[in-house]
Amino acid sequence: MSRDEMSELQGRRLHKIVTYVYHNVPFYRHKMQAMDLTPDDINTIEDITKLPFTTKKDLRDNYPFGLQAAPQSEIIRIHASSGTTGNPTIVGYTRKDIGVWTECMARCLTSYGVTRNDIFSVSYGYGLFTGGLGAHNGVEMVGAAVVPASTGNTEKHAKLIRDLGITGIACTPSYALYLAETMEKMGITKDQIKLRVGAFGAEPWTEQMREEIQERLGLKAYNLYGLSEIMGPSVSYECQAQHGSHICEDHFYPEIINPVTLDKLPNGQTGELVFTTLTKEGMPVLRYRTRDLCSLMEGECSCGRTAVRMSRIQGRSDDMLIIRGINVFPSQVESVVLSMPEFAPRYMLIVDRINNLDTLTVQVEIRQEYFTSVFDTPAAIDQLEKKLSAKLKSVLSIGAKVQLKAPNTIERSQGKSAHVIDKRNI
Ligand code: DLL
C-alpha cells in the first residue's frame, strides 16, 4: 500500500474505532467529553493527536472489564499481563480479534520465511501470557506443523528438536541461548538438527545476542515484538532485511512521543512508543503509552514492504524489568517486603544472567528490633528467607533468591534505579 492509501485507511478506521469506544466505553466517553471532543472531530489519522492517552494505570483502575467495549457474550478469550502490583491487566478478545491477531502472526512468520513445510516449536509459555497461544495460532494459519512445547523441560525439547527435525522455533532470546547450551551439554551438535528460523521476542535483546544465537543454533534469528495490551506477539516483526521491525500498522497505529512533554516526535527520533488499536473489538485502546523507547523508520524497505518500521527497543521510560520473559516492577517487590513486619523498606533487586538464564536476587534488610531479638539464629533466618521467597514467587510469577541483610547495610541513594542492579549486558 502506498503511504497515502495507508493513511486514508488508518484515518477511516480511526474514526470508526473512536465512534465505537465513545458509545461503548464510559471511560473514553468521559475523557473525550472533558476535552470537548466528539467522534466527528476525528476524521483523518492526523487528528489522532487530539485524543487522550491511555496508561497502564487506567487499565488497572478499570479492572477487570471497565475498558472492555464488546459485550461479554462476544468475548472468546481472556489473557492477563504479568507484572503489576495488585491487579493484572485483563485483555478480552472477540472472535474477530483472535482472527486479526492470528493473521498478523501469520504475516510475521511468512516474513521470516516459514511455510507449510516447516515443523515449528512454540516455546513461549502457554497460559495467561500471550506468547504461547498467540504464536501457536499463527503457525497453524501458515500451515506448518506446530509443536506446542511451551517452556521448561528443556532436555526433552532438545531431543524433540533433533528427533522430529524441527525447523523453526519461537521463544525468548535468552531461552534460545539456554537451549543451545543444553543441547551442547547433551552432545547434540548443529549438524544433527534442522533448525533454520527463530522468532525471538518478549524481552530486549541485542545484535550480539542475535549473532550468538544464530551461530550456536545454526538458524536465522528474527525479532518479534508485541504487548498484551495491544494484542500480544505480532505487533511488529522483522523481514529478511533484518533492519527494523515492520509494524502491522493497518491494525496498530504507532506514534513516538516525548515521555515528559507528551509531544509527538518526528520519525527518526527516539521516544516512547504509543499505539492505537484501529480494529480491535474486545478491548480497543486509544494512544496507549507502552513505555518502550524506540524510533520509527520511514521509507521503503529492501524487502518491498511499505509498512513503517520500528527500531529495537532501546529501554523503558519506567522501571519495568523483563526477567525470563516476565515483566517485573520493583514496586511489586516493595509491596511484598512492606507487607511483612520483619523487614525495613530497604531492598535491592540484583538481576544477572548466569549460563544464559536470568537470575533475580532480592536483598532486604531485617528491622533492628527483629534482628536482635527474633532472627538471631541461622535456622530462624533461613525460615524467614523461605517465607519471603514464597511470597515473592506468588506475586512475581518467577523464583527469586532471597538474601537477608543486617540493618543499615543496603546502600541508600536517591532516584528510582536505586533499587535495581542489572548486570545483564542487554
Ligand atoms: O511479551 C508479548 C510477546 C510475546 C511479544 C512473545 C513477543 C513474543 P507482555 O508480556 O505484555 O507481552 O510484555 C510486553 O515486553 O512492552 C516490551 O517492553 C517487551 N517486549 C516484547 N517484545 C519485545 C522485543 C509480550 N522483541 C513488553 N524486544 C513490551 C524488546 C520486547 N522488548
PDB file of all heavy atoms in Angstrom, residues 34-67:
ATOM      1  N   ALA A  34     -14.672  15.607  28.507  1.00  0.00           N
ATOM      2  CA  ALA A  34     -13.903  16.583  29.284  1.00  0.00           C
ATOM      3  C   ALA A  34     -13.007  17.420  28.375  1.00  0.00           C
ATOM      4  O   ALA A  34     -12.653  18.556  28.702  1.00  0.00           O
ATOM      5  CB  ALA A  34     -13.071  15.852  30.339  1.00  0.00           C
ATOM      6  N   MET A  35     -12.639  16.862  27.213  1.00  0.00           N
ATOM      7  CA  MET A  35     -11.785  17.605  26.277  1.00  0.00           C
ATOM      8  C   MET A  35     -12.623  18.269  25.189  1.00  0.00           C
ATOM      9  O   MET A  35     -12.086  18.778  24.205  1.00  0.00           O
ATOM     10  CB  MET A  35     -10.780  16.649  25.631  1.00  0.00           C
ATOM     11  CG  MET A  35      -9.796  16.045  26.606  1.00  0.00           C
ATOM     12  SD  MET A  35      -8.935  14.621  25.888  1.00  0.00           S
ATOM     13  CE  MET A  35      -7.548  15.428  25.125  1.00  0.00           C
ATOM     14  N   ASP A  36     -13.942  18.214  25.356  1.00  0.00           N
ATOM     15  CA  ASP A  36     -14.855  18.817  24.394  1.00  0.00           C
ATOM     16  C   ASP A  36     -14.711  18.207  22.993  1.00  0.00           C
ATOM     17  O   ASP A  36     -14.735  18.912  21.987  1.00  0.00           O
ATOM     18  CB  ASP A  36     -14.591  20.334  24.338  1.00  0.00           C
ATOM     19  CG  ASP A  36     -15.889  21.087  24.158  1.00  0.00           C
ATOM     20  OD1 ASP A  36     -16.943  20.444  24.224  1.00  0.00           O
ATOM     21  OD2 ASP A  36     -15.826  22.310  23.920  1.00  0.00           O
ATOM     22  N   LEU A  37     -14.539  16.902  22.960  1.00  0.00           N
ATOM     23  CA  LEU A  37     -14.339  16.194  21.686  1.00  0.00           C
ATOM     24  C   LEU A  37     -15.506  15.259  21.421  1.00  0.00           C
ATOM     25  O   LEU A  37     -16.024  14.637  22.356  1.00  0.00           O
ATOM     26  CB  LEU A  37     -13.098  15.308  21.777  1.00  0.00           C
ATOM     27  CG  LEU A  37     -11.714  15.861  21.530  1.00  0.00           C
ATOM     28  CD1 LEU A  37     -10.692  14.745  21.722  1.00  0.00           C
ATOM     29  CD2 LEU A  37     -11.612  16.430  20.119  1.00  0.00           C
ATOM     30  N   THR A  38     -15.888  15.124  20.148  1.00  0.00           N
ATOM     31  CA  THR A  38     -16.835  14.063  19.774  1.00  0.00           C
ATOM     32  C   THR A  38     -16.166  13.267  18.645  1.00  0.00           C
ATOM     33  O   THR A  38     -15.200  13.739  18.031  1.00  0.00           O
ATOM     34  CB  THR A  38     -18.186  14.624  19.272  1.00  0.00           C
ATOM     35  OG1 THR A  38     -17.970  15.184  17.974  1.00  0.00           O
ATOM     36  CG2 THR A  38     -18.771  15.651  20.214  1.00  0.00           C
ATOM     37  N   PRO A  39     -16.694  12.099  18.333  1.00  0.00           N
ATOM     38  CA  PRO A  39     -16.088  11.311  17.247  1.00  0.00           C
ATOM     39  C   PRO A  39     -16.034  12.085  15.931  1.00  0.00           C
ATOM     40  O   PRO A  39     -15.158  11.841  15.106  1.00  0.00           O
ATOM     41  CB  PRO A  39     -17.007  10.094  17.149  1.00  0.00           C
ATOM     42  CG  PRO A  39     -17.592   9.954  18.521  1.00  0.00           C
ATOM     43  CD  PRO A  39     -17.748  11.347  19.040  1.00  0.00           C
ATOM     44  N   ASP A  40     -16.943  13.033  15.746  1.00  0.00           N
ATOM     45  CA  ASP A  40     -16.936  13.790  14.486  1.00  0.00           C
ATOM     46  C   ASP A  40     -15.725  14.713  14.356  1.00  0.00           C
ATOM     47  O   ASP A  40     -15.443  15.229  13.268  1.00  0.00           O
ATOM     48  CB  ASP A  40     -18.231  14.614  14.358  1.00  0.00           C
ATOM     49  CG  ASP A  40     -19.406  13.709  14.062  1.00  0.00           C
ATOM     50  OD1 ASP A  40     -19.158  12.575  13.564  1.00  0.00           O
ATOM     51  OD2 ASP A  40     -20.555  14.098  14.361  1.00  0.00           O
ATOM     52  N   ASP A  41     -15.011  14.925  15.450  1.00  0.00           N
ATOM     53  CA  ASP A  41     -13.782  15.732  15.369  1.00  0.00           C
ATOM     54  C   ASP A  41     -12.603  14.902  14.866  1.00  0.00           C
ATOM     55  O   ASP A  41     -11.520  15.432  14.648  1.00  0.00           O
ATOM     56  CB  ASP A  41     -13.428  16.284  16.762  1.00  0.00           C
ATOM     57  CG  ASP A  41     -14.495  17.253  17.253  1.00  0.00           C
ATOM     58  OD1 ASP A  41     -14.911  18.102  16.449  1.00  0.00           O
ATOM     59  OD2 ASP A  41     -14.925  17.121  18.413  1.00  0.00           O
ATOM     60  N   ILE A  42     -12.790  13.584  14.769  1.00  0.00           N
ATOM     61  CA  ILE A  42     -11.669  12.701  14.398  1.00  0.00           C
ATOM     62  C   ILE A  42     -11.952  12.104  13.028  1.00  0.00           C
ATOM     63  O   ILE A  42     -12.722  11.140  12.895  1.00  0.00           O
ATOM     64  CB  ILE A  42     -11.500  11.563  15.457  1.00  0.00           C
ATOM     65  CG1 ILE A  42     -11.479  12.120  16.883  1.00  0.00           C
ATOM     66  CG2 ILE A  42     -10.281  10.701  15.164  1.00  0.00           C
ATOM     67  CD1 ILE A  42     -10.328  13.056  17.213  1.00  0.00           C
ATOM     68  N   ASN A  43     -11.345  12.679  12.011  1.00  0.00           N
ATOM     69  CA  ASN A  43     -11.657  12.233  10.650  1.00  0.00           C
ATOM     70  C   ASN A  43     -10.449  11.740   9.867  1.00  0.00           C
ATOM     71  O   ASN A  43     -10.582  10.898   8.994  1.00  0.00           O
ATOM     72  CB  ASN A  43     -12.343  13.366   9.887  1.00  0.00           C
ATOM     73  CG  ASN A  43     -13.663  13.708  10.560  1.00  0.00           C
ATOM     74  OD1 ASN A  43     -14.530  12.846  10.696  1.00  0.00           O
ATOM     75  ND2 ASN A  43     -13.801  14.936  11.038  1.00  0.00           N
ATOM     76  N   THR A  44      -9.289  12.290  10.164  1.00  0.00           N
ATOM     77  CA  THR A  44      -8.083  11.818   9.466  1.00  0.00           C
ATOM     78  C   THR A  44      -7.123  11.277  10.519  1.00  0.00           C
ATOM     79  O   THR A  44      -7.292  11.540  11.715  1.00  0.00           O
ATOM     80  CB  THR A  44      -7.369  12.972   8.720  1.00  0.00           C
ATOM     81  OG1 THR A  44      -6.834  13.870   9.717  1.00  0.00           O
ATOM     82  CG2 THR A  44      -8.317  13.714   7.803  1.00  0.00           C
ATOM     83  N   ILE A  45      -6.107  10.578  10.076  1.00  0.00           N
ATOM     84  CA  ILE A  45      -5.175   9.990  11.037  1.00  0.00           C
ATOM     85  C   ILE A  45      -4.416  11.088  11.789  1.00  0.00           C
ATOM     86  O   ILE A  45      -4.036  10.915  12.948  1.00  0.00           O
ATOM     87  CB  ILE A  45      -4.242   8.940  10.370  1.00  0.00           C
ATOM     88  CG1 ILE A  45      -3.580   8.058  11.430  1.00  0.00           C
ATOM     89  CG2 ILE A  45      -3.201   9.555   9.438  1.00  0.00           C
ATOM     90  CD1 ILE A  45      -4.512   7.202  12.240  1.00  0.00           C
ATOM     91  N   GLU A  46      -4.243  12.248  11.163  1.00  0.00           N
ATOM     92  CA  GLU A  46      -3.552  13.359  11.851  1.00  0.00           C
ATOM     93  C   GLU A  46      -4.349  13.846  13.069  1.00  0.00           C
ATOM     94  O   GLU A  46      -3.781  14.379  14.019  1.00  0.00           O
ATOM     95  CB  GLU A  46      -3.313  14.551  10.909  1.00  0.00           C
ATOM     96  CG  GLU A  46      -2.170  14.354   9.920  1.00  0.00           C
ATOM     97  CD  GLU A  46      -2.530  13.419   8.781  1.00  0.00           C
ATOM     98  OE1 GLU A  46      -3.711  13.417   8.360  1.00  0.00           O
ATOM     99  OE2 GLU A  46      -1.638  12.660   8.340  1.00  0.00           O
ATOM    100  N   ASP A  47      -5.656  13.637  13.038  1.00  0.00           N
ATOM    101  CA  ASP A  47      -6.494  14.078  14.166  1.00  0.00           C
ATOM    102  C   ASP A  47      -6.202  13.295  15.449  1.00  0.00           C
ATOM    103  O   ASP A  47      -6.700  13.646  16.519  1.00  0.00           O
ATOM    104  CB  ASP A  47      -7.989  13.922  13.827  1.00  0.00           C
ATOM    105  CG  ASP A  47      -8.461  14.921  12.778  1.00  0.00           C
ATOM    106  OD1 ASP A  47      -7.857  16.011  12.707  1.00  0.00           O
ATOM    107  OD2 ASP A  47      -9.407  14.602  12.038  1.00  0.00           O
ATOM    108  N   ILE A  48      -5.419  12.237  15.330  1.00  0.00           N
ATOM    109  CA  ILE A  48      -5.178  11.367  16.488  1.00  0.00           C
ATOM    110  C   ILE A  48      -4.584  12.137  17.676  1.00  0.00           C
ATOM    111  O   ILE A  48      -4.834  11.805  18.832  1.00  0.00           O
ATOM    112  CB  ILE A  48      -4.283  10.163  16.096  1.00  0.00           C
ATOM    113  CG1 ILE A  48      -4.412   9.056  17.151  1.00  0.00           C
ATOM    114  CG2 ILE A  48      -2.823  10.557  15.891  1.00  0.00           C
ATOM    115  CD1 ILE A  48      -3.915   7.708  16.711  1.00  0.00           C
ATOM    116  N   THR A  49      -3.809  13.191  17.370  1.00  0.00           N
ATOM    117  CA  THR A  49      -3.149  13.917  18.469  1.00  0.00           C
ATOM    118  C   THR A  49      -4.149  14.672  19.352  1.00  0.00           C
ATOM    119  O   THR A  49      -3.812  15.116  20.439  1.00  0.00           O
ATOM    120  CB  THR A  49      -2.099  14.922  17.933  1.00  0.00           C
ATOM    121  OG1 THR A  49      -2.737  15.734  16.962  1.00  0.00           O
ATOM    122  CG2 THR A  49      -0.909  14.216  17.303  1.00  0.00           C
ATOM    123  N   LYS A  50      -5.382  14.775  18.879  1.00  0.00           N
ATOM    124  CA  LYS A  50      -6.395  15.437  19.722  1.00  0.00           C
ATOM    125  C   LYS A  50      -6.874  14.512  20.835  1.00  0.00           C
ATOM    126  O   LYS A  50      -7.482  14.953  21.807  1.00  0.00           O
ATOM    127  CB  LYS A  50      -7.632  15.789  18.872  1.00  0.00           C
ATOM    128  CG  LYS A  50      -7.386  16.763  17.751  1.00  0.00           C
ATOM    129  CD  LYS A  50      -8.714  16.960  16.985  1.00  0.00           C
ATOM    130  CE  LYS A  50      -8.506  17.778  15.727  1.00  0.00           C
ATOM    131  NZ  LYS A  50      -9.682  17.699  14.838  1.00  0.00           N
ATOM    132  N   LEU A  51      -6.643  13.205  20.650  1.00  0.00           N
ATOM    133  CA  LEU A  51      -7.222  12.209  21.561  1.00  0.00           C
ATOM    134  C   LEU A  51      -6.416  12.059  22.850  1.00  0.00           C
ATOM    135  O   LEU A  51      -5.203  12.309  22.870  1.00  0.00           O
ATOM    136  CB  LEU A  51      -7.310  10.851  20.852  1.00  0.00           C
ATOM    137  CG  LEU A  51      -8.318  10.783  19.703  1.00  0.00           C
ATOM    138  CD1 LEU A  51      -8.104   9.527  18.868  1.00  0.00           C
ATOM    139  CD2 LEU A  51      -9.752  10.828  20.258  1.00  0.00           C
ATOM    140  N   PRO A  52      -7.085  11.609  23.917  1.00  0.00           N
ATOM    141  CA  PRO A  52      -6.363  11.414  25.184  1.00  0.00           C
ATOM    142  C   PRO A  52      -5.471  10.163  25.135  1.00  0.00           C
ATOM    143  O   PRO A  52      -5.708   9.261  24.334  1.00  0.00           O
ATOM    144  CB  PRO A  52      -7.500  11.177  26.188  1.00  0.00           C
ATOM    145  CG  PRO A  52      -8.626  10.621  25.370  1.00  0.00           C
ATOM    146  CD  PRO A  52      -8.512  11.258  24.012  1.00  0.00           C
ATOM    147  N   PHE A  53      -4.464  10.132  25.997  1.00  0.00           N
ATOM    148  CA  PHE A  53      -3.619   8.938  26.126  1.00  0.00           C
ATOM    149  C   PHE A  53      -4.294   7.937  27.059  1.00  0.00           C
ATOM    150  O   PHE A  53      -5.159   8.299  27.865  1.00  0.00           O
ATOM    151  CB  PHE A  53      -2.253   9.302  26.720  1.00  0.00           C
ATOM    152  CG  PHE A  53      -1.390  10.084  25.778  1.00  0.00           C
ATOM    153  CD1 PHE A  53      -1.255  11.462  25.900  1.00  0.00           C
ATOM    154  CD2 PHE A  53      -0.703   9.435  24.764  1.00  0.00           C
ATOM    155  CE1 PHE A  53      -0.457  12.185  25.017  1.00  0.00           C
ATOM    156  CE2 PHE A  53       0.096  10.142  23.876  1.00  0.00           C
ATOM    157  CZ  PHE A  53       0.219  11.520  24.007  1.00  0.00           C
ATOM    158  N   THR A  54      -3.860   6.677  26.953  1.00  0.00           N
ATOM    159  CA  THR A  54      -4.276   5.649  27.904  1.00  0.00           C
ATOM    160  C   THR A  54      -3.006   5.087  28.535  1.00  0.00           C
ATOM    161  O   THR A  54      -2.011   4.895  27.834  1.00  0.00           O
ATOM    162  CB  THR A  54      -5.027   4.498  27.183  1.00  0.00           C
ATOM    163  OG1 THR A  54      -6.024   5.061  26.349  1.00  0.00           O
ATOM    164  CG2 THR A  54      -5.659   3.536  28.167  1.00  0.00           C
ATOM    165  N   THR A  55      -3.036   4.848  29.844  1.00  0.00           N
ATOM    166  CA  THR A  55      -1.854   4.300  30.518  1.00  0.00           C
ATOM    167  C   THR A  55      -2.205   2.964  31.183  1.00  0.00           C
ATOM    168  O   THR A  55      -3.374   2.623  31.319  1.00  0.00           O
ATOM    169  CB  THR A  55      -1.356   5.248  31.624  1.00  0.00           C
ATOM    170  OG1 THR A  55      -2.417   5.371  32.579  1.00  0.00           O
ATOM    171  CG2 THR A  55      -0.993   6.618  31.090  1.00  0.00           C
ATOM    172  N   LYS A  56      -1.157   2.285  31.622  1.00  0.00           N
ATOM    173  CA  LYS A  56      -1.380   1.020  32.324  1.00  0.00           C
ATOM    174  C   LYS A  56      -2.216   1.263  33.588  1.00  0.00           C
ATOM    175  O   LYS A  56      -3.022   0.425  33.968  1.00  0.00           O
ATOM    176  CB  LYS A  56      -0.027   0.399  32.687  1.00  0.00           C
ATOM    177  CG  LYS A  56      -0.151  -1.054  33.059  1.00  0.00           C
ATOM    178  CD  LYS A  56       1.200  -1.744  33.012  1.00  0.00           C
ATOM    179  CE  LYS A  56       1.034  -3.215  33.201  1.00  0.00           C
ATOM    180  NZ  LYS A  56       1.120  -4.027  32.019  1.00  0.00           N
ATOM    181  N   LYS A  57      -2.002   2.417  34.203  1.00  0.00           N
ATOM    182  CA  LYS A  57      -2.775   2.737  35.413  1.00  0.00           C
ATOM    183  C   LYS A  57      -4.275   2.807  35.079  1.00  0.00           C
ATOM    184  O   LYS A  57      -5.105   2.327  35.845  1.00  0.00           O
ATOM    185  CB  LYS A  57      -2.290   4.077  35.992  1.00  0.00           C
ATOM    186  CG  LYS A  57      -2.968   4.453  37.282  1.00  0.00           C
ATOM    187  CD  LYS A  57      -2.360   5.688  37.918  1.00  0.00           C
ATOM    188  CE  LYS A  57      -3.038   6.039  39.235  1.00  0.00           C
ATOM    189  NZ  LYS A  57      -4.488   6.243  39.139  1.00  0.00           N
ATOM    190  N   ASP A  58      -4.598   3.388  33.922  1.00  0.00           N
ATOM    191  CA  ASP A  58      -6.016   3.436  33.523  1.00  0.00           C
ATOM    192  C   ASP A  58      -6.586   2.020  33.422  1.00  0.00           C
ATOM    193  O   ASP A  58      -7.710   1.766  33.830  1.00  0.00           O
ATOM    194  CB  ASP A  58      -6.180   4.132  32.161  1.00  0.00           C
ATOM    195  CG  ASP A  58      -5.809   5.602  32.219  1.00  0.00           C
ATOM    196  OD1 ASP A  58      -6.056   6.227  33.255  1.00  0.00           O
ATOM    197  OD2 ASP A  58      -5.267   6.123  31.222  1.00  0.00           O
ATOM    198  N   LEU A  59      -5.778   1.102  32.864  1.00  0.00           N
ATOM    199  CA  LEU A  59      -6.269  -0.277  32.714  1.00  0.00           C
ATOM    200  C   LEU A  59      -6.468  -0.901  34.087  1.00  0.00           C
ATOM    201  O   LEU A  59      -7.448  -1.600  34.331  1.00  0.00           O
ATOM    202  CB  LEU A  59      -5.299  -1.136  31.897  1.00  0.00           C
ATOM    203  CG  LEU A  59      -4.914  -0.653  30.490  1.00  0.00           C
ATOM    204  CD1 LEU A  59      -4.224  -1.764  29.707  1.00  0.00           C
ATOM    205  CD2 LEU A  59      -6.127  -0.192  29.711  1.00  0.00           C
ATOM    206  N   ARG A  60      -5.538  -0.636  34.975  1.00  0.00           N
ATOM    207  CA  ARG A  60      -5.647  -1.221  36.320  1.00  0.00           C
ATOM    208  C   ARG A  60      -6.801  -0.617  37.108  1.00  0.00           C
ATOM    209  O   ARG A  60      -7.511  -1.306  37.827  1.00  0.00           O
ATOM    210  CB  ARG A  60      -4.339  -1.001  37.079  1.00  0.00           C
ATOM    211  CG  ARG A  60      -3.411  -2.194  36.913  1.00  0.00           C
ATOM    212  CD  ARG A  60      -2.349  -2.147  37.963  1.00  0.00           C
ATOM    213  NE  ARG A  60      -1.317  -1.203  37.571  1.00  0.00           N
ATOM    214  CZ  ARG A  60      -0.470  -0.645  38.414  1.00  0.00           C
ATOM    215  NH1 ARG A  60      -0.555  -0.905  39.699  1.00  0.00           N
ATOM    216  NH2 ARG A  60       0.445   0.170  37.984  1.00  0.00           N
ATOM    217  N   ASP A  61      -6.970   0.709  36.966  1.00  0.00           N
ATOM    218  CA  ASP A  61      -8.051   1.379  37.703  1.00  0.00           C
ATOM    219  C   ASP A  61      -9.419   0.886  37.242  1.00  0.00           C
ATOM    220  O   ASP A  61     -10.401   1.013  37.961  1.00  0.00           O
ATOM    221  CB  ASP A  61      -7.984   2.904  37.500  1.00  0.00           C
ATOM    222  CG  ASP A  61      -6.786   3.515  38.214  1.00  0.00           C
ATOM    223  OD1 ASP A  61      -6.158   2.791  39.015  1.00  0.00           O
ATOM    224  OD2 ASP A  61      -6.471   4.686  37.951  1.00  0.00           O
ATOM    225  N   ASN A  62      -9.471   0.370  36.021  1.00  0.00           N
ATOM    226  CA  ASN A  62     -10.749  -0.102  35.480  1.00  0.00           C
ATOM    227  C   ASN A  62     -10.843  -1.621  35.470  1.00  0.00           C
ATOM    228  O   ASN A  62     -11.597  -2.208  34.692  1.00  0.00           O
ATOM    229  CB  ASN A  62     -10.956   0.470  34.078  1.00  0.00           C
ATOM    230  CG  ASN A  62     -11.247   1.955  34.136  1.00  0.00           C
ATOM    231  OD1 ASN A  62     -12.352   2.363  34.437  1.00  0.00           O
ATOM    232  ND2 ASN A  62     -10.217   2.781  33.932  1.00  0.00           N
ATOM    233  N   TYR A  63     -10.037  -2.251  36.326  1.00  0.00           N
ATOM    234  CA  TYR A  63     -10.010  -3.705  36.463  1.00  0.00           C
ATOM    235  C   TYR A  63     -11.378  -4.239  36.867  1.00  0.00           C
ATOM    236  O   TYR A  63     -12.029  -3.617  37.707  1.00  0.00           O
ATOM    237  CB  TYR A  63      -8.984  -4.052  37.548  1.00  0.00           C
ATOM    238  CG  TYR A  63      -8.878  -5.509  37.914  1.00  0.00           C
ATOM    239  CD1 TYR A  63      -8.062  -6.356  37.168  1.00  0.00           C
ATOM    240  CD2 TYR A  63      -9.575  -6.022  39.002  1.00  0.00           C
ATOM    241  CE1 TYR A  63      -7.947  -7.685  37.516  1.00  0.00           C
ATOM    242  CE2 TYR A  63      -9.459  -7.361  39.346  1.00  0.00           C
ATOM    243  CZ  TYR A  63      -8.645  -8.183  38.598  1.00  0.00           C
ATOM    244  OH  TYR A  63      -8.519  -9.506  38.933  1.00  0.00           O
ATOM    245  N   PRO A  64     -11.866  -5.386  36.393  1.00  0.00           N
ATOM    246  CA  PRO A  64     -11.219  -6.150  35.335  1.00  0.00           C
ATOM    247  C   PRO A  64     -11.719  -5.789  33.925  1.00  0.00           C
ATOM    248  O   PRO A  64     -10.964  -5.859  32.976  1.00  0.00           O
ATOM    249  CB  PRO A  64     -11.628  -7.589  35.671  1.00  0.00           C
ATOM    250  CG  PRO A  64     -12.954  -7.459  36.364  1.00  0.00           C
ATOM    251  CD  PRO A  64     -12.948  -6.117  37.062  1.00  0.00           C
ATOM    252  N   PHE A  65     -12.993  -5.390  33.804  1.00  0.00           N
ATOM    253  CA  PHE A  65     -13.554  -5.280  32.452  1.00  0.00           C
ATOM    254  C   PHE A  65     -13.970  -3.863  32.075  1.00  0.00           C
ATOM    255  O   PHE A  65     -14.683  -3.657  31.096  1.00  0.00           O
ATOM    256  CB  PHE A  65     -14.780  -6.207  32.325  1.00  0.00           C
ATOM    257  CG  PHE A  65     -14.430  -7.668  32.444  1.00  0.00           C
ATOM    258  CD1 PHE A  65     -15.090  -8.480  33.369  1.00  0.00           C
ATOM    259  CD2 PHE A  65     -13.448  -8.238  31.646  1.00  0.00           C
ATOM    260  CE1 PHE A  65     -14.782  -9.833  33.483  1.00  0.00           C
ATOM    261  CE2 PHE A  65     -13.122  -9.583  31.745  1.00  0.00           C
ATOM    262  CZ  PHE A  65     -13.781 -10.386  32.666  1.00  0.00           C
ATOM    263  N   GLY A  66     -13.540  -2.855  32.878  1.00  0.00           N
ATOM    264  CA  GLY A  66     -14.025  -1.487  32.678  1.00  0.00           C
ATOM    265  C   GLY A  66     -13.740  -0.908  31.301  1.00  0.00           C
ATOM    266  O   GLY A  66     -14.479  -0.056  30.826  1.00  0.00           O
ATOM    267  N   LEU A  67     -12.651  -1.346  30.647  1.00  0.00           N
ATOM    268  CA  LEU A  67     -12.338  -0.785  29.332  1.00  0.00           C
ATOM    269  C   LEU A  67     -12.798  -1.687  28.191  1.00  0.00           C
ATOM    270  O   LEU A  67     -12.523  -1.417  27.030  1.00  0.00           O
ATOM    271  CB  LEU A  67     -10.835  -0.503  29.207  1.00  0.00           C
ATOM    272  CG  LEU A  67     -10.296   0.603  30.119  1.00  0.00           C
ATOM    273  CD1 LEU A  67      -8.898   1.015  29.718  1.00  0.00           C
ATOM    274  CD2 LEU A  67     -11.195   1.827  30.103  1.00  0.00           C
TER     275      LEU A  67
END
